[in-house]
Every structure is written in structure tokens, then in C-alpha cells.
Amino acid sequence: MNRHDRARLGAGALLVLTIAAAPLPGAQGGDSAPQPIKVGRDEQTRLGVVSEALREAPAPAGPTTTARVLDPAPLIQLDSELSAASASLTASRAEAERTRKLYAEDRTASARAVETASAQAQADALRVSAAQRRLLLEWGDGIAAMSAKRRAALLNDLAHVRSELVRVELPNGLPPPASGAMVRLQSSPDTPAMHARILGMLPVADPRLQTRGVLAELSGAQATLAVGQMLSATLPAGASAPGVVLPRTALLRKGSQVWAYVQTAPETFVRREVTAYQPTAAGWFVGKAFAPGDRVVTAGAGALLGVETPAAGGD
């Protein structure tokens, strides 16, 4: 075999390899969106394909944890200290300004009096700052960021037992619920449920459980619990809008993703990815990509995947 023959043979082998590696018509790339597939009624029966319509379902409840009624006396005492320091600061600043004015106009006030008044105003400002820091470090931003009027109203309700503060333990790894969300409380399984509004995160971990906590306000006629009483708490779910529940028989895994087939016409099916799901006893709750009325394949999904991707099949 001469050099030209070997060159022709090498070119032919390269052509065969190129043809073998080329994708077949209609084959889908790994990153492309799934395309609808057609499956006749007789073929559906042979493959055992069954579909059912989805119905709207409420968002499932969030995780269950423990809660404890807090003693409001330390907060009331701290707020009283802050109010007293703020009043002293207002008075000392006014006195310092008056003393400076007298000294500047006719020197009826001495330079030492000006220094003393200024020092007193600075000391009162430090007292206010220290009380504000304690409020933040002990009770969190939910209390510290309140306006003086709103905090005064809360403390008045606490003093007259029209409201109570509850510490709700946050399970490890769970993101904190948003301020203003409602948490469900019960003193025992057979007692009526109570609802408290979340004020914010508490900065100090529980010394025994080593968990972070959120501060919630329980208001109204139900705010008659004893200080230190333990409660069960159900945190708000991550999704609050209604959605649908996908039966577990409709779910299949391909690659690292979970999918379900939707029947869009009597003989047409399309594979949709399942994302942002929440497992429940009945299946997987999802709030997007699937809607009430969609017909999902609850039997034969693996067979449809074999039809769609005959070389790969399901995982």
C-alpha cells in the first residue's frame, strides 16, 4: 500500500467516525428544552400510560417546632431606662445650649459652666446609645427598630396583659420567616390554635437547644398564657400561594433533575421539570410550571421517557 492509498483510507475512516458521532435527526441535546412527543392511543394502552387532572391545593404548613412565653419585665425595664436617658439628654442639651448662649452674649455664665453642661449632655448621649445597643443585643431588630410610639403601645399592651411575647425556636438550617408573617401556636394538640405575628430574629441562641429564635407577638383574648409556658409552633410555609400536588407516581428522574409528563393533547405529551417543590404526604407540592387542570401522567412515565430518548431511557 503506497502513501496515497493510506491517505485515502485515513480520510474514509475519519468520514465514518464523523457520521457516527453526528446526532440523529430529531435527537435532543442535553441542554435543550424537552420537545413534545406524539404517542397514539393504541400505543398509550400498550405502554400503560394513564393521566389525571391536577387540582388546586393550598400551600402546606411549615415545619413544627417549640415556643416559649417570655417574661416582658426585662424589656419594660430596659425601655424605661432608655426613656429616662432620652429625657435627660433632651434636658442636658437644652441646658448646654442655654449656657453657651449666656457665655457668648454677656459672660454671665462661666467657661467652666459651659464645659460642665457640655459634658453632661455627652454623658446622657452615651447613656441613650448604651440603652439602644442593649435593646438591639437582647431583643433584636424587631424591637429596636420600632418607633417610640409603636414600642410604647406594645409595652402598654404587655403591661395590661393584652399582648404577650413568644420566642419561637428556629430549626437549624431553616431560613428565618419574614417579619409580619404569622406563626401558629398551640398549648396542646386538643386546644384551639393561636396566631402570633413575627417581629424579627432574636440575637441570643437558646442555651439548651443551641437554636436561634424568632420573636412573635400574641395579641387579643388569647394572650393570657403564663410566663415560661411551652407551646408547639408551626412556622409559615415558604410558599403561601396555592398550587398543585404532583403524585409521586408522576415523578421521574433524568440526570440530576426531576420531571413529570403533561398530556397537552389526546396524543401529545411534554416533559416538564419539577422545581421549587415541597414534599407532602400526598406528593410534591409545586407552585409554578404546573397548574390546576393540567393532566399529568401517573403511570407509564418511564415508558414515555423511553419513547422520547430511546438511547438514554430513564435513570
Side-chain angles (χ1 to χ4, degrees):
M1 182 182 295
N2 59 34
R3 184 177 60 184
H4 296 290
D5 292 336
R6 285 197 298 271
R8 285 195 299 270
L9 180 59
L14 179 61
L15 179 60
V16 169
L17 289 174
T18 303
I19 293 173
L24 294 173
Q28 299 174 20
D31 296 331
S32 60
Q35 299 299 310
I37 58 173
K38 293 276 190 178
V39 180
R41 293 179 184 273
D42 293 341
E43 184 68 5
Q44 292 178 36
T45 302
R46 188 183 70 81
L47 296 175
V49 175
V50 178
S51 65
E52 66 177 53
L54 296 175
R55 285 182 270 184
E56 184 177 270
T64 300
T65 182
T66 59
R68 174 169 51 89
V69 180
L70 298 178
D71 183 1
L75 175 59
I76 295 174
Q77 176 64 31
L78 180 54
D79 185 78
S80 177
E81 294 175 11
L82 176 58
S83 299
S86 299
S88 296
L89 177 60
T90 300
S92 60
R93 280 178 173 172
E95 178 63 19
E97 180 62 27
R98 187 180 70 84
T99 305
R100 280 193 296 267
K101 186 175 181 181
L102 290 174
Y103 177 76
E105 289 178 351
D106 54 14
R107 294 187 176 271
T108 56
S110 65
R112 183 173 182 178
V114 172
E115 292 174 357
T116 302
S118 298
Q120 183 61 50
Q122 185 176 5
D124 289 337
L126 291 175
R127 286 177 56 207
V128 170
S129 180
Q132 290 173 334
R133 290 194 187 100
R134 281 187 59 198
L135 197 65
L136 179 62
L137 291 173
E138 295 177 16
W139 294 93
D141 192 62
I143 295 292
M146 279 184 182
S147 66
K149 183 178 179 180
R150 169 72 178 94
R151 189 161 61 244
L154 171 63
L155 295 177
N156 189 52
D157 288 341
L158 292 173
H160 291 86
V161 201
R162 292 193 293 263
S163 288
E164 287 184 307
L165 294 177
V166 179
R167 178 190 171 102
V168 181
E169 300 304 327
L170 192 65
N172 292 325
L174 193 71
S179 297
M182 303 301 290
V183 58
R184 185 172 179 267
L185 304 172
Q186 278 186 291
S187 55
S188 63
D190 56 345
T191 57
M194 302 169 283
H195 294 86
R197 186 177 302 277
I198 293 175
L199 300 177
M201 289 293 300
L202 286 166
V204 181
D206 182 274
R208 182 174 59 88
L209 300 175
Q210 290 299 299
T211 53
R212 300 185 69 190
V214 293
L215 183 65
E217 178 189 2
L218 178 64
S219 302
Q222 296 172 320
T224 57
L225 303 175
V227 171
Q229 182 173 344
M230 297 300 297
L231 307 165
S232 65
T234 303
L235 293 167
S240 57
V244 294
V245 174
L246 297 175
R248 284 184 170 80
T249 54
L251 306 173
L252 58 92
R253 185 175 294 277
K254 183 178 187 299
S256 60
Q257 296 144 314
V258 177
W259 307 81
Y261 275 100
V262 177
Q263 186 174 17
T264 57
E267 297 184 351
T268 306
F269 301 85
V270 66
R271 180 164 45 91
R272 292 184 191 168
E273 186 179 358
V274 182
T275 59
Y277 58 85
Q278 185 172 345
T280 68
W284 284 16
F285 175 86
V286 292
K288 61 181 182 179
F290 299 84
D294 287 347
R295 295 194 65 86
V296 297
V297 174
T298 55
L304 290 180
L305 185 59
V307 172
E308 180 184 356
T309 55
D315 289 349

